[in-house]
Amino acid sequence: MAVQLKAKVRENGKAKNLIKDGKIPAVIYGPNHGNLNVQLLEGEIESLISKAKETTPVHVTVDLNGTAEERNVFVKSVQFHKVSGKIIHVDLYEPDPNKHMRFKIPVEFVGEAEGIKTGGIFDVLLRDIEGEALPSNIIEEMKIDISAMKIGESLKVKDLKVPDNVKILQNAEDIIAVIKAPRAEEVTAPAEVTETAEPEAIKTKGKKEEEEEKEEK
């Protein structure tokens, strides 16, 4: 379901002045139209960015000096201020609705795997899957239930179930996630130390002592 957004055509002016007024400069571009410079309300675009993904369809109503124009776009890129961290510019891409476009489907894992419950380690190798579809058929997000996965089992791209109108471009054998066995803790027992009684030192008699003993005899 598309997210709704309002925009207004942007007249020539400095972007800094717009930002001070709580407006964010943006551009709508695509193969079927020339670049359209617009301005967005800061609160609306911040709300959109906080929940939208690159695959989230956005329906923009543009106010062209009193005339409303509808555009179906995707958020392509967002620029943030290096110091304040606030949004300072947004790129909105408007694809050709009749041509397939490539996109990356974000992956979200749901459920608690059986293998994790028994001590396994869940390792994620792919966070998104590359696909291709018409703009209206793009999958915003792919939720994968991992509840039945056990230790030693892996989930591959070929295991995914996707609509017929979406083509997966990712290698079918690519591993998305795997549950590894827990590492065995290597416990090294300290070497046993056997305490042995130290033998008494044997007193070696010197030559002088031997001579004294002979004189006494």
Side-chain angles (χ1 to χ4, degrees):
M1 184 176 179
V3 177
Q4 304 297 317
L5 186 66
K6 292 182 180 180
K8 186 176 181 180
V9 67
R10 174 160 48 103
E11 303 295 340
N12 293 332
K14 292 184 178 180
K16 290 182 179 180
N17 295 334
L18 285 175
I19 295 173
K20 287 180 180 179
D21 293 335
K23 300 178 181 65
I24 305 299
V27 60
I28 299 175
Y29 70 99
N32 294 345
H33 300 281
N35 291 2
L36 178 62
N37 294 322
V38 298
Q39 61 188 44
L40 312 168
L41 292 177
E42 183 178 23
E44 285 190 10
I45 193 60
E46 285 180 343
S47 177
L48 171 63
I49 297 303
S50 66
K51 58 187 178 183
K53 304 174 179 63
E54 189 176 341
T55 51
T56 301
V58 181
H59 184 80
V60 184
T61 301
V62 183
D63 180 1
L64 296 172
N65 299 319
T67 302
E69 186 170 296
E70 309 298 326
R71 298 289 188 94
N72 294 309
V73 304
F74 294 89
V75 178
K76 195 64 175 178
S77 66
V78 181
Q79 296 179 30
F80 297 88
H81 192 278
K82 293 182 179 179
V83 178
S84 66
K86 290 188 175 182
I87 299 172
I88 57 175
H89 194 274
V90 180
D91 287 353
L92 301 173
Y93 177 68
E94 183 180 18
D96 186 329
N98 300 313
K99 291 185 178 181
H100 287 76
M101 64 178 288
R102 292 191 173 191
F103 62 100
K104 290 186 177 181
I105 313 167
V107 174
E108 180 184 349
F109 302 99
V110 296
E112 185 178 1
E114 185 177 333
I116 297 177
K117 294 179 182 178
T118 54
I121 301 171
F122 188 63
D123 189 13
V124 179
L125 282 73
L126 290 177
R127 291 287 180 182
D128 48 51
I129 309 298
E130 189 173 0
E132 183 180 77
L134 290 174
S136 58
N137 296 329
I138 283 180
I139 301 175
E140 184 175 352
E141 184 179 61
M142 186 177 294
K143 293 186 178 182
I144 304 175
D145 188 354
I146 60 171
S147 302
M149 288 183 68
K150 300 177 181 179
I151 291 178
E153 292 184 343
S154 62
L155 177 70
K156 296 184 177 181
V157 172
K158 66 181 180 181
D159 299 324
L160 300 177
K161 295 180 180 179
V162 297
D164 294 336
N165 53 22
V166 175
K167 181 180 180 181
I168 297 299
L169 302 178
Q170 197 86 30
N171 189 314
E173 295 298 327
D174 284 353
I175 296 176
I176 301 171
V178 63
I179 298 184
K180 298 179 179 179
R183 294 180 180 176
E185 295 183 3
E186 297 181 3
V187 180
T188 305
E192 293 185 3
V193 179
T194 304
E195 294 185 6
T196 56
E198 186 177 345
E200 293 183 3
I202 298 175
K203 188 176 181 180
T204 303
K205 295 180 181 180
K207 184 175 181 181
K208 184 178 181 181
E209 290 176 320
E210 290 178 351
E211 291 177 351
E212 288 177 353
E213 286 183 1
K214 289 181 182 179
E215 289 178 359
E216 288 179 357
K217 292 179 179 179

